[in-house]
Structures are given as structure tokens and as C-alpha cells.
Amino acid sequence: MTYKELSSQIFNKKSYLCVGLDTDPHKLPPHLLKEPDPVFAFNQAIIDATADLAVAYKPNIAFYEAQGPRGWESLQRTLEYIPADCFTIADAKRGDIGNTSSLYARTFFDPDAAGLNFDSVTVAPYMGRDSVLPFLDYAGKWVILLALTSNSGSADFQRQRILTDSAREQELFEMVIKTAQTWAGPDKLMFVVGATQADELSRIRELAPDSFLLVPGVGAQGGSLAEVSRRGLTAAGGLLVNASRSILYASGGTDFADRARAEAQLLQTEMAEYLDAGVLAIK
Amino acid sequence: MTYKELSSQIFNKKSYLCVGLDTDPHKLPPHLLKEPDPVFAFNQAIIDATADLAVAYKPNIAFYEAQGPRGWESLQRTLEYIPADCFTIADAKRGDIGNTSSLYARTFFDPDAAGLNFDSVTVAPYMGRDSVLPFLDYAGKWVILLALTSNSGSADFQRQRILTDSAREQELFEMVIKTAQTWAGPDKLMFVVGATQADELSRIRELAPDSFLLVPGVGAQGGSLAEVSRRGLTAAGGLLVNASRSILYASGGTDFADRARAEAQLLQTEMAEYLDAGVLAIK
């Protein structure tokens, strides 16, 4: 999916909601356990219930990997089921030396490898340029690089101040954002910024004015959609705000899909207001 | 495997060789392609040929993941086949917010999850403390944290100088090593240091005098075993030096296992000399 197509989806659906498919086999409604692939059955119902409200789906790869080979099969089925007009994100946080990163890129981008054809993958920046470039080699595919994450541990290294030759002090996450933009433009590269980091979002928006930001942490982790939207929205949309647990596990019973839709609808309604108000109006 | 057991293995076998199982289906000797699981057949032969010379095996997870569900099955079979006296490393470079890292830990450490029971997993530090702690929750299991990697991109962020309140300047990888040691001791925590970074090894050994270091980059990537050993060996061993491609692909024919053994033997013979000479003598 191109930058322009993603932007169009956002304004068409009046939504920048990404539904995180953090599907935990231990949290499934009991009536699904008799299905041949309960994880897929759950995802299918969640996708059916939210596809007109969401512009993106983000399977968290750990949840599938922890099920072994059958988890990868659930992931394949889920990805195939996501409608073509939705952007897909493999939340995998991979990153390794070049020849290994090439294989991770192949895993998530080349359907002839592991049967997966994601639009994008999340990548960890610690190993630098040659650990990221192989993911950028695929036409039409995106890298979503970790910048400032939503967890408390983000303070340990991401917030450290870096000594540079220039007078202006910068933190590690700022250097990551600046450096990575020398590797690819906003048509191929997004950044992960936690919703719990809203104070830093204005600074990040200045550093990456046209980049899409993937923002997890609204909902269960406590981030504010209003704050994130005020600081992060651009004329092209520029945000994908993820909610996972608050949607998936709104109910543990047979009404889980309806309740998931209701939660997604609340977020989408709020997003539509911010989009209708226009970026300048809400700033 | 405990610190003491690993140390004993090193002195018993006179080896700190780790064989990296970066098994590429496209590089297998043609005669193996008729096997039901060619990747496992290859690994089995490599393990048979090297198990008395190596103290550790390190499957690079990307190579298995890129094969989809059948790759995970090859990985399960391979891990089961590795002799119990060898330390096993899932080279996965995972790391995510706490609840997700818990699932990655379960994947590699809990045999009831994905059918894997590794001794250790490599972890990326960018997301900080709470992204690493879940891996440390497993008794008898190890975290091998990326510190200073062997690739050129290690200069981009790992070598950045950090501003701290103390007078002494430090680079990011040094801060990672110091900080991580407040999370766990050398009985649970190792560091990845590339063999191409031998100049920094003495400094790293000072920062982490008792920690095992996993050192990739000898062989195909050009690092020197002599330099690494001189700067990294300790009285407990303290090193796991990895070689992958130079062993696995020493020959592409029916003699691949013999040639792999010969390559491993060269490294082990050199390691035995350094161990026999004693740490102080070679310093």
C-alpha cells in the first residue's frame, strides 16, 4: 500500500484505528475452543466486526510464535483474511546483521517464503543501518522503526542524551528518527511512538513532519487519544493509533465480537471528530 | 545449564566453540534434498560431526522462520537432537513490552508452548528493563543481550557517546552492559560482542569481568580468534566464540560433514592452545 493509498483510506473511513491482533489462546471465549483453529476463528470474527472502522491490523507475532508451527498457520490464515483495503503490520521487532535481516524481511514480505505478505514490519534500531536496509529493499513494503516506545523501560536507553558535535542536545530516540530518515523517506518508513509519550509527540512531529507514526498504548496502557491526535495528526493523516486488549477482550463471552465493535466504534467516532475538525483546528 | 556446568564443559572439551546453525535451504548439498526434512538432515550431520568439538549450538531463528511452519518443525527436531552437554542459544534478537516479551520467553524456554527448550535467547536492549526481565524469570535459562555487534551499523547507535552526570564519558553499548548488570548477574546474563570489535573487548571485559561473552564474527566476517581470546578469556572460560558459514558451508558436496568437522577442529585446536596456555600467559 502506498502513502497516498493509506492516507485516502484514513479520510474515506474517517479512522486511523489499527486493531492489534494480540490473540491469546488462553483468553478466547470458551465457545470458540471447539473450532479447528480457535485463534483464527476469533480473529476472523474480530476482523468482520471492525473492518469498516479500522484502517490497519497489527498481529503481534509473539502471540502466534508462542504456539509453535500451528501458531504460524493461524497467522497465515488471519493475514489472508484481512481485507485488501486494510494496511497490515507484522509487529515482530526484528533486526539483525544484513544477511539475517534479509531473511526476516523475506519471512514477512515474500509470500513464497513463509506464506506471509505483510505490508510492513516493526524493526528494532539498535544494530543500525545495515540491519534495517534489507527490509527497505521490497517495493511497496514499509519499515516501522522503534523510536520511543510506550513501556517504562523506554527511559533506560531511548531517553539517554547523546553527545554530538552540534550544540543542540538530543536524546537517542531523536537521533534514531533523524538518522533513519537518511535511509528512506516517509513513503517507506514509519516510526513507533508510544501513546504514553504524548509530551514528546510534538518534538517527534517536528523531526518527522510527514512520517506516519504507529502509536500503541491507547486503551489498556493508558495513553490519551485526544493528546496523541492533537500533536500527531497531519494533513495526510499521519497516524495509526493501535488498540489491542481493550477491543479484543471487551467481553469474554459469545458477544465478544459485538463488544469489540462497540469499543472500536468509540475510538473511530472520536477519530472522525478530530479528522473533521481539521488538523489546524485541533492544534 | 549453570555457569559452573558451562565452564566445566569448556575445560573438559578444551573448546569455547559455538556452532551457528544458520542453515540455508538454498545452500544444502544436493544429495540431502531427497530427505523428508533436508534442513534437519543437514543439521543432524553437522551436529554429529562437531559435537565433541563444540560446547554450544546457536540456531539463527531467521533461517527457520523464513520457511514458515515447516521451518519451526525443523528447528524443533534440531534442538531435540543437540546433545544435553551442549549449551543451546536461540539467536532471535527479540525484545518487546513486558507482556509480549513474556510470550517470546515462553516460545523459546517453555517446551509446552512451541515445543522448544533452549538454554538461552539473544535479546535486543533498545526497549529497556521491562523488555528484558521476562526472559530472566525462567530458572536455569539465560539472556544474551546485544551489546556491541559485529556489523558496520553498530557504529550508528551503539557507539554513540552518552552524556551522564559523572565525568567519565561512555558509549551506549557500555551503558547497556553496566545497566543490564543491575538486572541480573553473570549466572543468567551474557553479552553479544562482535569479534570484529576486538579493540573494545578489553574495555568490555573490565566492565563485565565475570560475564560470558558470545562472540560472533570469527570466520566469514573476518574477526581474529587470537585477539578475541587474548582479550576475552577468563579463569572460567568466559567466551563462546561462534562460527557459522565457515563450518556449515566448508563444502557443498557429499563430504560437507567431514569438511565441517575439519573447520571446527582447526578452531578447537587453536582454542585448546589458548586454554592450555592459561589466561595470564596469553595476556
Side-chain angles (χ1 to χ4, degrees):
Chain A
M1 190 177 287
T2 66
Y3 188 98
K4 204 172 158 185
E5 287 164 352
L6 180 55
S7 176
S8 295
Q9 286 297 329
I10 289 174
F11 287 97
N12 288 343
K13 288 184 168 174
K14 295 186 185 294
S15 169
Y16 37 99
L17 176 64
C18 174
V19 175
L21 297 171
D22 297 19
T23 307
D24 183 342
H26 303 289
K27 288 191 191 170
L28 298 180
H31 72 284
L32 291 182
L33 300 180
K34 63 178 193 303
E35 298 287 332
D37 181 345
V39 165
F40 173 60
F42 179 84
N43 287 348
Q44 197 174 23
I46 293 288
I47 293 164
D48 285 342
T50 57
D52 60 322
L53 304 172
V55 293
Y57 288 93
K58 180 174 75 64
N60 182 332
I61 304 304
F63 286 76
Y64 302 87
E65 199 170 290
Q67 304 304 308
R70 76 176 184 285
W72 285 85
E73 288 167 8
S74 303
L75 180 61
Q76 290 169 335
R77 290 185 191 112
T78 299
L79 189 64
E80 272 167 34
Y81 193 74
I82 296 172
D85 67 353
C86 295
F87 187 76
T88 55
I89 302 167
D91 196 0
K93 301 190 172 71
R94 301 298 196 256
D96 208 310
I97 63 169
N99 78 324
T100 301
S101 272
S102 295
L103 285 167
Y104 282 127
R106 200 196 287 171
T107 301
F108 295 109
F109 290 160
D110 179 352
D112 293 335
L116 300 172
N117 190 9
F118 278 96
D119 290 313
S120 66
V121 62
T122 57
V123 175
Y126 189 73
M127 292 182 68
R129 185 171 186 273
D130 54 316
S131 71
V132 178
L133 292 189
F135 294 98
L136 292 166
D137 279 346
Y138 286 75
K141 304 292 191 181
W142 296 69
V143 163
I144 309 183
L145 196 67
L146 301 186
L148 185 58
T149 56
S150 58
N151 62 320
S152 64
S154 62
D156 289 326
F157 307 120
Q158 298 166 25
R159 303 298 308 265
Q160 291 299 324
R161 293 169 302 153
I162 304 287
L163 262 169
T164 56
D165 298 331
S166 76
R168 198 180 163 285
E169 196 177 282
Q170 61 182 340
E171 296 181 18
L172 178 60
F173 76 89
E174 296 176 282
M175 173 172 246
V176 167
I177 291 171
K178 283 201 257 183
T179 305
Q181 290 182 88
T182 67
W183 307 335
D187 57 322
K188 295 276 295 174
L189 181 66
M190 304 186 186
F191 297 101
V192 174
V193 179
T196 52
Q197 309 281 3
D199 288 351
E200 315 306 327
L201 247 176
S202 307
R203 244 198 307 169
I204 290 167
R205 189 40 93 203
E206 267 177 53
L207 288 172
D210 298 318
S211 302
F212 270 90
L213 306 177
L214 171 62
V215 184
V218 162
Q221 292 180 62
S224 152
L225 178 57
E227 275 303 298
V228 166
S229 303
R230 192 168 66 81
R231 295 163 192 254
L233 275 179
T234 68
L239 287 179
L240 294 174
V241 171
N242 184 76
S244 301
R245 287 170 269 180
S246 61
I247 292 176
L248 301 191
Y249 308 120
S251 158
T254 52
D255 63 342
F256 74 98
D258 291 341
R259 293 283 301 281
R261 178 173 178 81
E263 287 296 318
Q265 182 85 71
L266 281 176
L267 291 167
Q268 184 272 327
T269 303
E270 194 177 338
M271 288 173 178
E273 281 171 33
Y274 300 141
L275 288 170
D276 284 341
V279 178
L280 295 175
I282 59 168
K283 289 216 176 192
Chain B
M1 189 176 288
T2 66
Y3 187 98
K4 204 172 161 186
E5 286 163 352
L6 179 55
S7 177
S8 296
Q9 285 298 328
I10 288 174
F11 288 96
N12 289 342
K13 290 185 170 176
K14 294 188 187 293
S15 169
Y16 37 99
L17 177 63
C18 173
V19 175
L21 297 171
D22 298 19
T23 307
D24 183 343
H26 304 290
K27 288 193 190 166
L28 297 181
H31 72 283
L32 291 182
L33 300 179
K34 63 177 194 302
E35 297 288 331
D37 181 345
V39 165
F40 172 61
F42 179 84
N43 287 348
Q44 198 173 23
I46 292 288
I47 293 162
D48 285 342
T50 58
D52 60 322
L53 304 171
V55 292
Y57 288 94
K58 178 175 77 65
N60 181 331
I61 304 304
F63 285 77
Y64 302 87
E65 198 171 291
Q67 304 303 310
R70 78 175 182 285
W72 285 84
E73 288 167 9
S74 303
L75 180 63
Q76 289 169 336
R77 291 186 190 109
T78 299
L79 189 64
E80 272 167 35
Y81 193 74
I82 296 172
D85 67 351
C86 295
F87 188 75
T88 55
I89 302 168
D91 195 0
K93 301 189 171 71
R94 300 299 194 256
D96 208 309
I97 63 170
N99 78 323
T100 300
S101 273
S102 295
L103 285 167
Y104 281 127
R106 201 195 289 171
T107 300
F108 295 109
F109 290 159
D110 178 352
D112 294 334
L116 301 172
N117 191 7
F118 278 95
D119 290 313
S120 66
V121 62
T122 57
V123 175
Y126 190 73
M127 293 181 68
R129 185 172 185 273
D130 54 317
S131 71
V132 178
L133 292 188
F135 294 97
L136 292 165
D137 278 346
Y138 285 76
K141 305 292 190 178
W142 297 69
V143 163
I144 310 183
L145 197 65
L146 301 185
L148 185 57
T149 57
S150 58
N151 63 320
S152 63
S154 62
D156 289 327
F157 306 120
Q158 297 166 27
R159 302 300 308 265
Q160 291 298 325
R161 292 171 300 154
I162 304 287
L163 262 170
T164 56
D165 297 333
S166 77
R168 197 179 163 285
E169 197 177 282
Q170 61 181 342
E171 296 181 18
L172 178 60
F173 76 90
E174 295 176 281
M175 174 172 243
V176 166
I177 290 170
K178 282 200 257 183
T179 305
Q181 288 181 91
T182 67
W183 306 335
D187 58 320
K188 295 275 295 173
L189 181 66
M190 304 187 186
F191 297 101
V192 174
V193 179
T196 53
Q197 309 280 3
D199 288 351
E200 316 305 328
L201 246 175
S202 307
R203 245 199 304 170
I204 290 168
R205 188 42 89 205
E206 267 178 53
L207 288 172
D210 298 318
S211 301
F212 271 91
L213 306 178
L214 171 63
V215 183
V218 162
Q221 292 180 64
S224 152
L225 177 58
E227 276 302 297
V228 166
S229 303
R230 191 169 65 81
R231 296 164 192 255
L233 275 179
T234 69
L239 287 179
L240 294 173
V241 171
N242 184 76
S244 302
R245 287 170 269 179
S246 61
I247 292 177
L248 302 191
Y249 308 120
S251 158
T254 52
D255 63 342
F256 75 97
D258 291 341
R259 294 282 301 281
R261 179 173 177 81
E263 288 294 320
Q265 183 82 73
L266 281 176
L267 290 167
Q268 185 272 326
T269 303
E270 193 178 338
M271 289 173 177
E273 282 172 32
Y274 300 141
L275 288 169
D276 283 341
V279 178
L280 293 175
I282 58 167
K283 288 213 176 188

